[in-house]
């Protein structure tokens, strides 16, 4: 986007600032509007599940504006702080949470192709998103500690234990699509799943299918949604870490929670559900690709963005459905679920997916699309430039990107491993 | 001589200012949870410096393991071992004075050494922009498996990697053993 | 010379030495923290700062943007800092376990109270 502004000849620094502002505005809008819609949706979903109607009056037929009215009420509330609280940390904690959840959206792409819709096109995007989402817990811990209330402290300690535990299986599950795509770049991972839905990594093999459900469970736990919302646990801890908060600061915690729910759902969509590639490739059927011109491709990307956000909202809705259906677990049950079930399952699925990829590099059940993304590493390119032989190998093996990487990458330095690593015997 | 501002340097200064300021704040504050909070900000800014130096994988790793894992663990430990509502242990002024004096001396020596070598003063903007942007994650992974792709006569780290893996396992078991609840004695205390 | 450094601070790319100075600040802060805090976990935080300063140096010496590519450590710098990060996590886990154990026995984590073996 900065290139666009530079091309209409303004100062480079102004161009970068403008591009940054546009992207940040879009992301903030997504998170804020997302929170508005999700809170309304949560009420409607919970209402329907409990055989009620939910909000019906504010703003016309379906209570559309209920959240806005709530927001106004929250704005006018007094900003209370308990007497013994650590003032600085108490004030800053909600913003820490919110910043973490907002930053995760920086690296999430909304459409791929030659001009991906992403604020920060990172080579290690999967890792970055998981890392930043893990920081959200800090706001919660600070809030719990600084409130000088035992409910808050208990909530925060539970949250710390839970989030640190659940990051392990979450990371293990996220590694499986990374392994299949041969890249940690979310744009690449999304683009590798183009075409119809059997190209999605969800249906790549039985192991990825199970991995997706483990991922979704762990993601629900890592964003503190019921049945894993031990940090809030109304029946035991009043309201957990945000017991002492009111008004705008309290609502920031909720924006952060709904923001990170959307973020993990979007991540799940990109990793397993094809991202911006629909069940049916509408955009490419209509010819809306970058091969046919920039603006057609742009229109296709807008469609893809709508598709991805639709999948993300669907994921959040499932989380709500789960919340209003299942009872809350006890803290020991939560940790047991993580360490005794999720971690071993995720680990064995990882091994299984590796072996499957080794046995059927082209996909076994549904043939993978031949136009899959080619993994190109720098040393790969160097080797290609050096010899035409390497290029030929690459061509014949273009359906096996991982194998290609090793064959052409290692030709230049084929020295055995033992010669390179120090010998333990001496 | 109005030279245009070089923006990477601007961000370097921004991140390093945050990192240094909060590192000093860690030393100064007596409240241990605030210490942890300042340490988080300092380490996150250091991750920003890693990104600026082209080490994107290490930067993300720093955010994930250091800030997201190690420090959460630390704060958890603080909460488990706190007696008062807000624990703070004061150091005497004399001790602080000695430590700060020695620290400043050490810093002057280190900074003087760092500045005294002209080759370390940085390149020209043109040279820097000529450096290609290369992803580091895959070469790092290959390096950990013993195959170096960035230089023909550089050694891999397979053995180190394996030792560290075993080490981590031992640490996991050892820490769990050390921190386990001590049956009856603990019940009585509670 | 000093004024030259300041004048070119915003208009020229940074070099290894700039990173080293920042690393030195972190290192010194960590050392002072280790020396002055009596809380075991505070000392642990000082250690993290020291390790981080060292890490910054490794990254600086390995970066192709800070000095000519032929003179850098290449990936070695990044690999070393990866090892440091991982080992710091392990060290924090063990130290925390020791601190908890200590707290179980003495109901404090003031390191000056660990003087049972004093003659």
């Amino acid at each position: 986007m900065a290139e666009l502004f530079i091309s209409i000849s303004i100062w480079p620094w102004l161009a970068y600032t403008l591009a940054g502002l546009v992207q940040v505005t879009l992301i903030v809008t997504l998170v804020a509007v997302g929170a508005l819609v999700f809170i309304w949706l949560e009420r409607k979903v919970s209402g329907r599940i409990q055989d009620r109607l939910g909000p019906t009056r504010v703003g016309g037929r379906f209570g559309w504006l209920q959240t806005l009215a709530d927001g106004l009420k929250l704005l006018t509330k007094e900003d209370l702080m308990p007497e013994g609280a650590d003032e600085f940390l108490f004030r800053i904690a909600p913003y820490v949470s919110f910043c973490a959840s907002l930053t995760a959206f920086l690296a999430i792409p909304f459409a791929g192709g030659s001009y991906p819709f992403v604020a920060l096109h990172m080579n290690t995007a999967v890792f970055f998103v998981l890392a930043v989402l893990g920081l959200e817990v800090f706001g919660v811990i600070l809030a719990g500690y600084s409130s000088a209330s035992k409910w808050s402290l208990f909530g925060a300690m539970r949250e710390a234990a839970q989030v640190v535990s659940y990051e392990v299986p979450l990371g293990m599950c996220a590694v499986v699509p990374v392994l299949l795509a041969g890249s940690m770049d979310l744009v690449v991972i999304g683009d590798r799943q183009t075409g119809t839905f059997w190209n999605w990594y969800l249906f790549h093999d039985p192991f990825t299918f199970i991995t997706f459900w483990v991922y979704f469970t762990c993601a629900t736990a890592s964003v503190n949604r019921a049945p894993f919302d031990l940090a809030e646990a109304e029946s035991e801890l009043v309201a957990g870490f945000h017991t002492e908060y009111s008004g705008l600061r309290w609502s920031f915690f909720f924006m952060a929670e709904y923001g990170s729910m959307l973020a993990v759902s979007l991540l799940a969509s990109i990793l397993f559900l094809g991202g911006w590639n629909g069940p049916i490739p509408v955009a490419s059927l209509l010819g809306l690709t970058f091969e046919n011109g920039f603006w057609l491709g742009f229109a296709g990307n807008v469609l893809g963005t709508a598709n991805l956000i639709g999948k993300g909202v669907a994921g959040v809705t499932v989380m709500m459905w789960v919340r209003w259906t299942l009872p809350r677990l006890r803290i020991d049950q939560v940790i047991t679920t993580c360490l005794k079930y999720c971690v071993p399952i995720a680990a064995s699925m990882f091994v299984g997916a590796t072996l499957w990829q080794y046995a059927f590099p082209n996909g076994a059940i549904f043939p993978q699309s031949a136009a899959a993304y080619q993994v190109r590493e720098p040393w790969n390119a160097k080797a290609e430039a050096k010899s035409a032989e390497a290029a030929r190998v690459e061509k014949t093996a273009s359906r096996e990107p991982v194998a290609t990487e090793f064959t052409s990458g290692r030709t230049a330095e084929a020295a055995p491993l033992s010669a390179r690593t120090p010998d333990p015997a001496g | 001589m109005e030279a245009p501002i070089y923006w990477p340097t601007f961000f370097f200064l921004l991140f390093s200012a945050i990192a240094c300021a909060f590192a000093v704040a860690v030393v100064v504050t007596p409240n241990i949870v605030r210490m942890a909070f300042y340490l988080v900000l300092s380490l996150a800014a250091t991750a920003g410096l890693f990104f600026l130096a082209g080490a994107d994988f290490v930067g993300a790793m720093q955010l994930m393991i250091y800030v997201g894992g190690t420090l959460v663990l630390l704060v958890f430990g603080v909460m488990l071992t706190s007696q008062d509502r807000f624990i703070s242990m004061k150091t005497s002024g004399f001790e602080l004075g000695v430590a700060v004096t020695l620290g400043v001396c050490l810093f002057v020596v280190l900074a003087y050494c760092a500045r005294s070598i002209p080759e370390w003063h940085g390149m020209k903007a043109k040279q820097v922009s000529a450096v290609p942007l290369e992803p580091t994650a895959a070469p790092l992974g290959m390096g950990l498996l013993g195959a170096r792709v960035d230089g023909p006569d550089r050694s891999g780290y397979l053995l180190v990697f394996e030792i560290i893996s075993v080490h981590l396992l031992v640490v996991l078991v050892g820490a769990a053993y050390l921190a386990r609840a001590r049956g009856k004695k603990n019940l009585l205390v509670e | 010379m000093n004024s030259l450094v300041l004048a070119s601070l915003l208009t020229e790319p940074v070099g290894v030495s700039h990173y080293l100075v920042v690393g030195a600040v972190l290192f010194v802060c960590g050392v002072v923290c280790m020396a002055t805090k009596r809380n075991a976990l505070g000392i642990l935080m000082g250690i993290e700062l020291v390790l981080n300063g060292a890490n910054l140096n490794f990254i600086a010496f390995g970066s192709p943007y800070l000095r000519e590519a032929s003179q850098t450590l290449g990936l070695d710098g990044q690999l070393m800092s990866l090892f440091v990060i991982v080992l710091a996590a392990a060290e924090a886990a063990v130290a925390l376990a020791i601190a908890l154990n200590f707290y179980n026995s003495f109901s404090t984590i003031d390191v000056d109270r660990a003087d049972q073996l004093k003659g």
Side-chain angles (χ1 to χ4, degrees), chain B residues 16 36 88 100 128 150 161 190:
Chain B
S16 54
S88 52
V100 168
V128 174
D150 59 329
F161 184 59
E190 279 163 11

Side-chain angles (χ1 to χ4, degrees), chain B residues 14-173:
Chain B
L14 182 70
F15 282 130
S16 54
I18 297 174
C20 296
F22 284 110
V24 173
V26 168
V27 178
V28 172
T29 180
N31 181 332
I32 189 151
V33 176
R34 282 199 190 183
M35 266 177 77
F37 178 61
Y38 296 145
L39 190 60
V40 167
L41 293 181
S42 178
L43 296 190
T46 318
L49 288 178
F50 289 177
F51 283 119
L52 275 183
D56 53 350
F57 184 76
V58 183
M61 189 99 166
Q62 163 107 354
L63 277 183
M64 188 161 202
I65 296 187
Y66 238 120
V67 185
T70 310
L71 280 173
V72 171
L73 211 64
L74 272 183
V75 177
F76 198 60
V78 169
M79 288 178 177
L80 280 179
T81 54
S82 63
Q83 303 125 325
D84 299 331
R85 222 170 35 202
F86 301 116
I87 8 154
S88 52
M89 292 188 185
K90 289 195 183 63
T91 16
S92 67
F94 175 70
E95 279 175 4
L96 202 65
V98 172
V100 168
T101 317
L102 286 178
V104 168
C105 294
L106 181 59
F107 173 70
V108 168
V109 172
L110 286 177
Y112 179 75
C113 291
R115 295 297 308 177
S116 63
I117 297 180
E119 288 90 64
W120 290 357
H121 279 206
M123 305 188 283
K124 296 279 165 246
K126 259 185 199 157
Q127 283 172 291
V128 174
S129 57
V131 176
L133 185 69
E134 286 190 0
T136 57
L140 280 179
M142 297 292 280
L144 287 180
L145 291 180
R148 287 294 290 271
V149 291
D150 59 329
D153 44 286
R154 289 190 157 146
S155 64
Y157 286 87
L158 183 61
L159 182 68
V160 187
F161 184 59
E162 292 302 327
I163 291 177
I164 287 187
S165 315
V166 176
H167 175 85
L168 280 184
L169 184 67
V170 172
V171 162
L172 206 66
V173 175

Side-chain angles (χ1 to χ4, degrees), chain A residues 126-140:
Chain A
V126 178
F127 206 44
F128 181 82
V129 172
L130 286 180
V132 171
L133 277 178
L135 299 189
E136 198 201 336
V137 64
F138 242 98
V140 172

Side-chain angles (χ1 to χ4, degrees), chain B residues 3-6 9-10 12-13 16 19-20 23-24 26-30 32 35-36 39 42-43 46 49-50 52-55 57-58 61-62 65-66 70 73-74 77-78 80-83 87 89-91 95-96 99-100 103-104 106-107 110-111 114-115 119-125 127-128 131-134 136 139-140 143-144 148-150 154-155 157 160-161 164 167-168 171 175 178-179 182 185-186, chain C residues 1 5 7-22 24-33 35-49 51-52 55-56 59-76 78-94 96-101 103-112:
Chain B
I5 292 177
Y6 189 70
T9 303
F10 170 77
F12 167 80
L13 290 178
S16 54
C20 296
V24 173
V26 168
V27 178
V28 172
T29 180
I32 189 151
M35 266 177 77
L39 190 60
S42 178
L43 296 190
T46 318
L49 288 178
F50 289 177
L52 275 183
F57 184 76
V58 183
M61 189 99 166
Q62 163 107 354
I65 296 187
Y66 238 120
T70 310
L73 211 64
L74 272 183
V78 169
L80 280 179
T81 54
S82 63
Q83 303 125 325
I87 8 154
M89 292 188 185
K90 289 195 183 63
T91 16
E95 279 175 4
L96 202 65
V100 168
V104 168
L106 181 59
F107 173 70
L110 286 177
R115 295 297 308 177
E119 288 90 64
W120 290 357
H121 279 206
M123 305 188 283
K124 296 279 165 246
Q127 283 172 291
V128 174
V131 176
L133 185 69
E134 286 190 0
T136 57
L140 280 179
L144 287 180
R148 287 294 290 271
V149 291
D150 59 329
R154 289 190 157 146
S155 64
Y157 286 87
V160 187
F161 184 59
I164 287 187
H167 175 85
L168 280 184
V171 162
L178 272 178
R182 287 268 158 68
K185 191 184 156 197
N186 252 24
Chain C
M1 191 233 164
V5 168
S8 63
L9 201 53
L10 261 181
T11 55
E12 288 291 316
V14 291
V16 175
S17 64
H18 297 78
Y19 269 78
L20 292 193
V21 170
V22 179
V25 172
L26 294 185
F27 182 86
V28 167
C29 286
V31 170
V32 174
C33 192
T36 55
K37 305 282 173 188
R38 277 159 48 212
N39 189 322
L41 293 167
I43 293 174
L44 204 58
M45 289 182 203
I47 296 175
E48 307 291 348
L49 266 183
L51 291 176
N52 225 52
N55 250 350
L56 202 56
I59 293 289
F61 280 118
S63 169
Y65 302 97
L66 303 179
R67 56 194 299 209
E68 280 148 49
S70 56
Q71 296 174 337
T72 60
L73 282 182
L75 284 181
D76 286 321
Q78 296 189 26
L79 283 163
M80 279 300 159
S81 53
L82 278 185
F83 293 143
V84 170
I85 291 176
V86 171
L87 289 181
E91 166 248 318
V94 172
L96 194 64
I98 294 174
L100 284 185
N101 227 357
Y103 180 75
N104 278 343
S105 324
F106 294 90
S107 299
T108 178
I109 46 171
D110 185 341
V111 284
D112 289 350

